[in-house]
Amino acid sequence: MAKTRESDKAVRPNVFMRIGLFIKQIIDELRKVVSPSGKELLGWSFAVFVFVLILMALVTGMDLGLGKLTLWIFG
């Protein structure tokens, strides 16, 4: 096995420099975020609300249907 030289290793910056780089990258990414307008926010909120209502109705229907089926089979 060949020994690796110190110059062959990649030099890692110390822990504080890595934390600083991480925070800098977070800030750079947050600058790219585009906030929705009020109209878009209202539209998306309404869409999520309707979707949740549909899923609630579906799960409620399945629960009631399977409950009735269970009572019919074993009741």
Side-chain angles (χ1 to χ4, degrees):
M1 292 174 74
K3 284 188 170 182
T4 59
R5 293 187 214 147
E6 284 294 318
S7 61
D8 292 343
K9 284 186 177 180
V11 178
R12 287 178 56 177
N14 66 25
V15 68
F16 297 110
M17 290 185 71
R18 285 186 280 163
I19 291 172
L21 178 64
F22 179 70
I23 292 172
K24 180 185 176 302
Q25 289 173 343
I26 289 174
I27 292 170
D28 289 342
E29 289 298 320
L30 285 175
R31 285 188 181 137
K32 297 177 187 177
V33 174
V34 178
S35 297
S37 67
K39 190 175 181 180
E40 289 174 331
L41 185 61
L42 187 63
W44 282 107
S45 298
F46 182 72
V48 168
F49 183 70
V50 168
F51 181 72
V52 168
L53 285 177
I54 291 170
L55 283 180
M56 282 175 54
L58 178 70
V59 169
T60 302
M62 289 174 58
D63 183 44
L64 290 174
L66 290 172
K68 295 279 185 186
L69 180 67
T70 303
L71 283 174
W72 181 70
I73 292 173
F74 298 109

Coordinates of all heavy atoms in Angstrom, one line a residue:
M1 N 0.8 -1.2 0.0 CA 0.0 0.0 0.0 C 0.9 1.2 0.0 O 1.8 1.4 0.8 CB -0.9 0.0 1.2 CG -1.9 -1.1 1.2 SD -2.9 -1.2 2.7 CE -3.9 0.2 2.6
A2 N 0.5 2.1 -0.9 CA 1.3 3.3 -1.0 C 0.8 4.4 0.0 O -0.4 4.5 0.3 CB 1.2 3.9 -2.4
K3 N 1.7 5.1 0.6 CA 1.3 6.1 1.6 C 0.9 7.4 0.8 O 1.5 7.7 -0.2 CB 2.5 6.5 2.5 CG 2.8 5.5 3.6 CD 3.8 6.1 4.5 CE 3.9 5.2 5.7 NZ 4.8 5.8 6.7
T4 N -0.1 8.0 1.3 CA -0.5 9.3 0.7 C 0.2 10.4 1.3 O 0.5 10.4 2.5 CB -2.0 9.5 0.9 OG1 -2.3 9.5 2.3 CG2 -2.9 8.4 0.2
R5 N 0.6 11.3 0.5 CA 1.3 12.5 1.0 C 0.4 13.5 1.5 O -0.8 13.6 1.1 CB 2.2 13.1 -0.2 CG 3.3 12.2 -0.6 CD 4.1 13.0 -1.6 NE 4.6 12.0 -2.6 CZ 4.8 12.3 -3.8 NH1 4.6 13.5 -4.3 NH2 5.3 11.3 -4.6
E6 N 0.8 14.4 2.3 CA 0.0 15.5 2.8 C -0.4 16.4 1.7 O -1.5 16.9 1.7 CB 0.8 16.3 3.9 CG 0.9 15.6 5.2 CD -0.5 15.5 5.9 OE1 -1.3 16.4 5.9 OE2 -0.7 14.4 6.5
S7 N 0.4 16.6 0.7 CA 0.1 17.5 -0.4 C -1.0 16.9 -1.3 O -1.7 17.7 -2.0 CB 1.3 17.9 -1.2 OG 1.9 16.7 -1.8
D8 N -1.1 15.6 -1.3 CA -2.1 15.0 -2.1 C -3.6 15.1 -1.5 O -4.5 15.0 -2.2 CB -1.8 13.5 -2.3 CG -0.6 13.3 -3.1 OD1 -0.2 14.3 -3.8 OD2 0.0 12.2 -3.1
K9 N -3.6 15.3 -0.2 CA -4.9 15.4 0.5 C -5.5 16.7 0.2 O -4.8 17.7 0.1 CB -4.8 15.2 2.0 CG -4.6 13.8 2.5 CD -4.6 13.8 4.0 CE -4.5 12.4 4.5 NZ -4.6 12.5 6.0
A10 N -6.8 16.8 0.0 CA -7.5 18.0 -0.1 C -7.5 18.7 1.3 O -7.9 18.1 2.3 CB -9.0 17.8 -0.6
V11 N -7.2 20.0 1.3 CA -7.2 20.7 2.5 C -8.6 21.2 2.8 O -9.2 21.9 2.1 CB -6.2 21.9 2.4 CG1 -6.2 22.7 3.7 CG2 -4.8 21.5 2.0
R12 N -9.0 20.8 4.0 CA -10.4 21.2 4.5 C -10.3 22.4 5.4 O -9.4 22.4 6.2 CB -11.0 20.0 5.3 CG -11.5 18.9 4.4 CD -12.1 17.8 5.2 NE -13.2 18.2 6.0 CZ -13.9 17.4 6.8 NH1 -13.7 16.2 6.8 NH2 -14.9 17.9 7.5
P13 N -11.1 23.4 5.1 CA -11.1 24.5 6.0 C -11.6 24.1 7.4 O -12.2 23.1 7.6 CB -12.0 25.5 5.3 CG -12.8 24.8 4.3 CD -12.1 23.5 4.0
N14 N -11.3 25.0 8.4 CA -11.7 24.6 9.7 C -13.2 24.7 9.9 O -13.9 25.2 9.0 CB -11.0 25.5 10.8 CG -11.4 27.0 10.7 OD1 -12.5 27.3 10.2 ND2 -10.5 27.9 11.1
V15 N -13.7 24.3 11.0 CA -15.1 24.1 11.2 C -15.8 25.5 11.2 O -16.9 25.6 10.6 CB -15.4 23.4 12.6 CG1 -15.0 24.2 13.8 CG2 -16.8 23.0 12.7
F16 N -15.2 26.5 11.6 CA -15.9 27.9 11.6 C -16.0 28.4 10.2 O -17.0 29.0 9.8 CB -15.1 28.8 12.5 CG -15.1 28.4 14.0 CD1 -14.0 28.0 14.6 CD2 -16.3 28.4 14.7 CE1 -14.0 27.6 15.9 CE2 -16.3 28.1 16.0 CZ -15.1 27.6 16.6
M17 N -15.0 28.1 9.4 CA -15.1 28.6 8.0 C -16.2 27.8 7.2 O -16.9 28.3 6.4 CB -13.7 28.4 7.3 CG -12.7 29.4 7.8 SD -11.2 29.3 6.9 CE -11.6 30.0 5.3
R18 N -16.3 26.5 7.5 CA -17.3 25.7 6.9 C -18.7 26.1 7.3 O -19.6 26.2 6.5 CB -17.2 24.2 7.2 CG -16.0 23.6 6.5 CD -15.9 22.1 6.7 NE -15.2 21.9 8.0 CZ -15.3 20.8 8.7 NH1 -15.9 19.8 8.2 NH2 -14.6 20.7 9.8
I19 N -18.9 26.5 8.6 CA -20.2 27.0 9.1 C -20.5 28.3 8.4 O -21.6 28.6 8.0 CB -20.2 27.1 10.6 CG1 -20.2 25.7 11.3 CG2 -21.4 27.9 11.1 CD1 -20.0 25.8 12.8
G20 N -19.5 29.2 8.3 CA -19.7 30.5 7.6 C -20.1 30.3 6.2 O -20.9 31.0 5.7
L21 N -19.4 29.4 5.5 CA -19.7 29.1 4.1 C -21.2 28.6 3.9 O -21.9 29.0 3.0 CB -18.7 28.1 3.5 CG -19.0 27.6 2.1 CD1 -18.9 28.8 1.1 CD2 -18.0 26.5 1.7
F22 N -21.6 27.7 4.9 CA -22.9 27.1 4.9 C -24.0 28.3 5.0 O -24.9 28.3 4.3 CB -23.0 26.1 6.0 CG -24.4 25.5 6.1 CD1 -24.9 24.6 5.1 CD2 -25.2 25.8 7.2 CE1 -26.1 24.0 5.2 CE2 -26.5 25.2 7.3 CZ -26.9 24.3 6.3
I23 N -23.7 29.2 6.0 CA -24.7 30.3 6.2 C -24.7 31.2 5.0 O -25.8 31.6 4.5 CB -24.3 31.0 7.5 CG1 -24.6 30.1 8.7 CG2 -25.1 32.3 7.6 CD1 -24.1 30.7 10.0
K24 N -23.6 31.4 4.3 CA -23.5 32.3 3.1 C -24.3 31.6 2.0 O -25.0 32.3 1.3 CB -22.1 32.5 2.7 CG -21.9 33.3 1.5 CD -20.5 33.4 1.0 CE -20.3 34.2 -0.2 NZ -21.0 33.7 -1.4
Q25 N -24.2 30.3 1.9 CA -24.9 29.6 0.8 C -26.4 29.7 1.1 O -27.2 29.8 0.2 CB -24.5 28.2 0.7 CG -23.1 28.1 0.1 CD -22.5 26.7 0.1 OE1 -23.0 25.8 0.9 NE2 -21.5 26.4 -0.6
I26 N -26.8 29.6 2.4 CA -28.2 29.7 2.7 C -28.8 31.0 2.3 O -29.9 31.1 1.7 CB -28.5 29.4 4.2 CG1 -28.2 27.9 4.5 CG2 -29.9 29.8 4.7 CD1 -28.3 27.6 6.0
I27 N -28.1 32.1 2.7 CA -28.5 33.4 2.3 C -28.6 33.6 0.8 O -29.5 34.2 0.3 CB -27.5 34.5 3.0 CG1 -27.7 34.4 4.5 CG2 -27.8 35.9 2.5 CD1 -26.7 35.2 5.3
D28 N -27.6 33.1 0.1 CA -27.7 33.2 -1.4 C -28.9 32.5 -1.9 O -29.5 33.0 -2.9 CB -26.4 32.6 -2.0 CG -25.2 33.4 -1.7 OD1 -25.3 34.6 -1.4 OD2 -24.0 32.9 -1.9
E29 N -29.3 31.3 -1.4 CA -30.4 30.6 -1.9 C -31.7 31.4 -1.5 O -32.7 31.4 -2.3 CB -30.5 29.2 -1.3 CG -29.4 28.3 -1.9 CD -29.6 28.1 -3.4 OE1 -30.7 28.0 -3.9 OE2 -28.5 28.1 -4.1
L30 N -31.8 32.0 -0.3 CA -33.0 32.7 0.1 C -33.2 33.9 -0.7 O -34.3 34.4 -0.9 CB -32.9 33.1 1.6 CG -33.1 31.9 2.6 CD1 -32.8 32.4 4.0 CD2 -34.5 31.4 2.4
R31 N -32.1 34.5 -1.3 CA -32.3 35.7 -2.2 C -33.0 35.3 -3.5 O -33.5 36.1 -4.2 CB -30.9 36.3 -2.5 CG -30.4 37.1 -1.3 CD -29.2 37.8 -1.7 NE -28.7 38.6 -0.5 CZ -27.4 38.6 -0.1 NH1 -26.5 38.1 -0.9 NH2 -27.1 39.3 0.9
K32 N -32.9 34.0 -3.9 CA -33.6 33.6 -5.1 C -35.1 33.3 -5.0 O -35.7 33.1 -6.0 CB -32.9 32.3 -5.6 CG -31.4 32.4 -5.9 CD -30.8 31.1 -6.3 CE -29.3 31.1 -6.5 NZ -28.8 29.8 -6.8
V33 N -35.6 33.2 -3.7 CA -37.0 32.9 -3.5 C -37.8 34.1 -3.9 O -37.6 35.2 -3.6 CB -37.2 32.6 -2.0 CG1 -38.7 32.4 -1.7 CG2 -36.4 31.4 -1.5
V34 N -38.9 33.7 -4.6 CA -39.9 34.7 -5.1 C -41.1 34.6 -4.3 O -41.7 33.5 -4.2 CB -40.2 34.6 -6.6 CG1 -41.2 35.6 -7.0 CG2 -38.9 34.7 -7.4
S35 N -41.6 35.6 -3.6 CA -42.8 35.6 -2.8 C -44.0 35.7 -3.7 O -44.0 36.6 -4.6 CB -42.8 36.7 -1.8 OG -41.7 36.6 -0.9
P36 N -45.1 35.0 -3.4 CA -46.3 35.1 -4.3 C -47.0 36.4 -4.0 O -46.9 37.0 -2.9 CB -47.1 33.9 -3.9 CG -46.7 33.6 -2.5 CD -45.2 34.0 -2.4
S37 N -47.8 36.9 -5.0 CA -48.6 38.0 -4.7 C -49.8 37.6 -3.9 O -50.0 36.5 -3.7 CB -49.1 38.6 -6.1 OG -50.0 37.7 -6.7
G38 N -50.6 38.6 -3.4 CA -51.7 38.3 -2.6 C -52.8 37.5 -3.3 O -53.4 36.6 -2.8
K39 N -52.9 37.8 -4.6 CA -53.9 37.1 -5.4 C -53.5 35.6 -5.6 O -54.3 34.7 -5.5 CB -54.1 37.7 -6.8 CG -55.2 37.2 -7.6 CD -55.4 38.0 -8.9 CE -56.5 37.5 -9.7 NZ -56.7 38.3 -10.9
E40 N -52.2 35.4 -5.9 CA -51.7 34.0 -6.0 C -51.8 33.3 -4.7 O -52.2 32.1 -4.7 CB -50.2 34.0 -6.5 CG -50.0 34.5 -7.9 CD -48.5 34.6 -8.2 OE1 -47.7 34.9 -7.3 OE2 -48.2 34.5 -9.4
L41 N -51.5 33.9 -3.6 CA -51.5 33.3 -2.3 C -53.0 32.9 -2.0 O -53.2 31.8 -1.5 CB -51.0 34.2 -1.2 CG -50.9 33.7 0.2 CD1 -49.9 32.5 0.2 CD2 -50.4 34.8 1.1
L42 N -53.9 33.7 -2.3 CA -55.3 33.4 -2.0 C -55.8 32.3 -2.9 O -56.5 31.3 -2.4 CB -56.2 34.7 -2.3 CG -57.7 34.5 -1.9 CD1 -57.8 34.3 -0.4 CD2 -58.4 35.7 -2.4
G43 N -55.4 32.3 -4.2 CA -55.7 31.2 -5.1 C -55.2 29.8 -4.6 O -55.9 28.8 -4.6
W44 N -53.9 29.8 -4.3 CA -53.3 28.5 -3.8 C -53.9 28.1 -2.5 O -54.1 26.9 -2.3 CB -51.8 28.7 -3.7 CG -51.1 28.6 -5.0 CD1 -50.5 29.6 -5.7 CD2 -50.9 27.5 -5.8 NE1 -50.0 29.2 -6.9 CE2 -50.3 27.8 -7.0 CE3 -51.3 26.1 -5.7 CZ2 -50.0 27.0 -8.0 CZ3 -51.0 25.2 -6.7 CH2 -50.3 25.7 -7.9
S45 N -54.2 29.0 -1.6 CA -54.8 28.7 -0.3 C -56.2 28.0 -0.6 O -56.5 27.0 0.1 CB -54.9 29.9 0.6 OG -53.7 30.4 0.9
F46 N -57.0 28.6 -1.5 CA -58.3 28.1 -1.8 C -58.1 26.7 -2.4 O -58.9 25.7 -2.1 CB -59.0 29.0 -2.8 CG -60.4 28.5 -3.2 CD1 -61.4 28.6 -2.2 CD2 -60.6 28.0 -4.4 CE1 -62.7 28.1 -2.6 CE2 -61.9 27.5 -4.8 CZ -62.9 27.6 -3.8
A47 N -57.2 26.5 -3.3 CA -56.9 25.2 -3.9 C -56.6 24.1 -2.9 O -57.1 23.0 -2.9 CB -55.8 25.3 -5.0
V48 N -55.7 24.5 -1.9 CA -55.3 23.5 -0.9 C -56.5 23.2 0.0 O -56.8 22.0 0.4 CB -54.2 24.1 0.0 CG1 -54.0 23.3 1.2 CG2 -52.9 24.2 -0.9
F49 N -57.4 24.2 0.3 CA -58.5 24.0 1.1 C -59.5 23.0 0.4 O -60.0 22.1 1.1 CB -59.2 25.4 1.4 CG -60.4 25.3 2.3 CD1 -60.3 25.0 3.6 CD2 -61.7 25.5 1.8 CE1 -61.4 24.9 4.5 CE2 -62.8 25.4 2.6 CZ -62.7 25.1 3.9
V50 N -59.8 23.2 -0.8 CA -60.7 22.4 -1.6 C -60.1 20.9 -1.7 O -60.8 20.0 -1.5 CB -60.9 22.9 -3.0 CG1 -61.6 21.9 -3.9 CG2 -61.7 24.2 -2.9
F51 N -58.8 20.8 -1.9 CA -58.2 19.5 -2.0 C -58.3 18.7 -0.6 O -58.6 17.5 -0.6 CB -56.7 19.6 -2.3 CG -56.0 18.3 -2.5 CD1 -56.2 17.5 -3.5 CD2 -55.0 18.0 -1.5 CE1 -55.6 16.3 -3.7 CE2 -54.4 16.8 -1.7 CZ -54.6 15.9 -2.7
V52 N -58.1 19.4 0.5 CA -58.2 18.8 1.8 C -59.7 18.4 2.0 O -59.9 17.3 2.6 CB -57.7 19.8 2.9 CG1 -58.1 19.3 4.3 CG2 -56.2 19.9 2.8
L53 N -60.6 19.2 1.6 CA -62.0 18.9 1.8 C -62.4 17.6 1.0 O -63.1 16.7 1.5 CB -63.0 20.0 1.4 CG -63.1 21.2 2.4 CD1 -63.9 22.3 1.8 CD2 -63.6 20.7 3.7
I54 N -61.9 17.5 -0.2 CA -62.1 16.3 -1.1 C -61.5 15.1 -0.4 O -62.2 14.0 -0.4 CB -61.6 16.6 -2.5 CG1 -62.4 17.6 -3.2 CG2 -61.5 15.3 -3.3 CD1 -61.8 18.1 -4.5
L55 N -60.3 15.2 0.1 CA -59.7 14.0 0.7 C -60.4 13.7 2.0 O -60.6 12.5 2.3 CB -58.2 14.3 1.1 CG -57.3 14.2 -0.1 CD1 -55.8 14.5 0.3 CD2 -57.3 12.9 -0.8
M56 N -60.9 14.6 2.8 CA -61.7 14.3 4.0 C -62.9 13.6 3.6 O -63.3 12.6 4.3 CB -62.0 15.6 4.7 CG -60.9 16.2 5.5 SD -61.3 17.8 6.3 CE -62.7 17.5 7.2
A57 N -63.6 14.0 2.6 CA -64.8 13.4 2.1 C -64.5 11.9 1.7 O -65.3 11.0 2.0 CB -65.5 14.1 1.0
L58 N -63.4 11.8 0.9 CA -63.1 10.4 0.5 C -62.8 9.5 1.6 O -63.3 8.3 1.7 CB -61.8 10.5 -0.5 CG -61.3 9.2 -1.0 CD1 -62.3 8.6 -2.0 CD2 -59.9 9.4 -1.6
V59 N -62.0 9.9 2.6 CA -61.6 9.1 3.7 C -62.9 8.8 4.6 O -63.0 7.7 5.1 CB -60.5 9.8 4.6 CG1 -60.3 9.1 5.9 CG2 -59.2 9.8 3.8
T60 N -63.7 9.8 4.8 CA -64.9 9.6 5.6 C -65.8 8.6 4.9 O -66.4 7.7 5.5 CB -65.7 10.9 5.7 OG1 -64.8 11.8 6.4 CG2 -67.0 10.7 6.5
G61 N -66.0 8.7 3.6 CA -66.8 7.7 2.8 C -66.2 6.3 2.9 O -67.0 5.3 3.1
M62 N -64.9 6.2 2.8 CA -64.3 4.9 2.9 C -64.5 4.3 4.3 O -64.8 3.1 4.5 CB -62.8 4.9 2.5 CG -62.5 5.2 1.1 SD -60.8 5.4 0.7 CE -60.1 4.0 1.3
D63 N -64.3 5.1 5.3 CA -64.5 4.7 6.7 C -65.9 4.2 6.9 O -66.1 3.1 7.5 CB -64.1 5.8 7.6 CG -64.2 5.4 9.1 OD1 -63.7 4.3 9.4 OD2 -64.7 6.2 9.9
L64 N -66.9 5.0 6.5 CA -68.3 4.6 6.7 C -68.6 3.4 5.9 O -69.3 2.4 6.4 CB -69.2 5.7 6.4 CG -69.2 6.9 7.3 CD1 -70.1 8.1 6.7 CD2 -69.7 6.5 8.7
G65 N -68.1 3.3 4.7 CA -68.4 2.1 3.8 C -67.8 0.9 4.4 O -68.5 -0.2 4.4
L66 N -66.5 0.9 4.8 CA -65.9 -0.3 5.3 C -66.5 -0.7 6.7 O -66.6 -1.8 7.0 CB -64.4 0.0 5.5 CG -63.6 0.0 4.1 CD1 -62.2 0.4 4.4 CD2 -63.7 -1.3 3.4
G67 N -66.9 0.3 7.5 CA -67.6 0.0 8.7 C -68.9 -0.7 8.5 O -69.2 -1.7 9.2
K68 N -69.7 -0.2 7.5 CA -71.0 -0.9 7.2 C -70.7 -2.3 6.7 O -71.4 -3.2 7.0 CB -71.7 -0.1 6.2 CG -72.2 1.3 6.6 CD -73.5 1.2 7.4 CE -73.9 2.6 7.7 NZ -75.1 2.6 8.6
L69 N -69.7 -2.4 5.8 CA -69.4 -3.7 5.3 C -69.0 -4.7 6.4 O -69.4 -5.9 6.4 CB -68.2 -3.6 4.2 CG -67.8 -4.9 3.6 CD1 -68.9 -5.5 2.7 CD2 -66.5 -4.6 2.7
T70 N -68.2 -4.2 7.3 CA -67.8 -5.1 8.4 C -68.9 -5.5 9.3 O -69.0 -6.7 9.7 CB -66.7 -4.3 9.3 OG1 -65.6 -3.9 8.5 CG2 -66.2 -5.2 10.4
L71 N -69.8 -4.6 9.5 CA -71.0 -4.9 10.3 C -71.9 -5.9 9.6 O -72.5 -6.8 10.1 CB -71.8 -3.7 10.7 CG -71.3 -2.8 11.8 CD1 -72.1 -1.5 12.0 CD2 -71.3 -3.6 13.1
W72 N -72.0 -5.7 8.2 CA -72.8 -6.6 7.4 C -72.2 -8.1 7.4 O -73.0 -9.1 7.5 CB -72.9 -6.1 6.0 CG -73.7 -6.9 5.1 CD1 -75.1 -7.1 5.1 CD2 -73.2 -7.7 4.0 NE1 -75.5 -7.9 4.1 CE2 -74.4 -8.4 3.4 CE3 -72.0 -8.0 3.5 CZ2 -74.2 -9.2 2.4 CZ3 -71.9 -8.8 2.4 CH2 -73.0 -9.5 1.9
I73 N -70.9 -8.1 7.3 CA -70.2 -9.5 7.3 C -70.2 -10.1 8.6 O -70.6 -11.3 8.8 CB -68.8 -9.3 6.8 CG1 -68.8 -8.9 5.3 CG2 -68.0 -10.6 6.9 CD1 -67.4 -8.6 4.7
F74 N -69.8 -9.4 9.7 CA -69.7 -10.0 11.0 C -70.8 -9.7 12.0 O -70.9 -10.3 13.0 CB -68.4 -9.5 11.7 CG -67.1 -9.9 10.9 CD1 -66.4 -9.0 10.2 CD2 -66.7 -11.2 10.8 CE1 -65.3 -9.3 9.5 CE2 -65.6 -11.6 10.1 CZ -64.9 -10.6 9.4
G75 N -71.7 -8.8 11.6 CA -72.8 -8.4 12.5 C -73.9 -9.3 12.7 O -74.6 -9.4 13.6

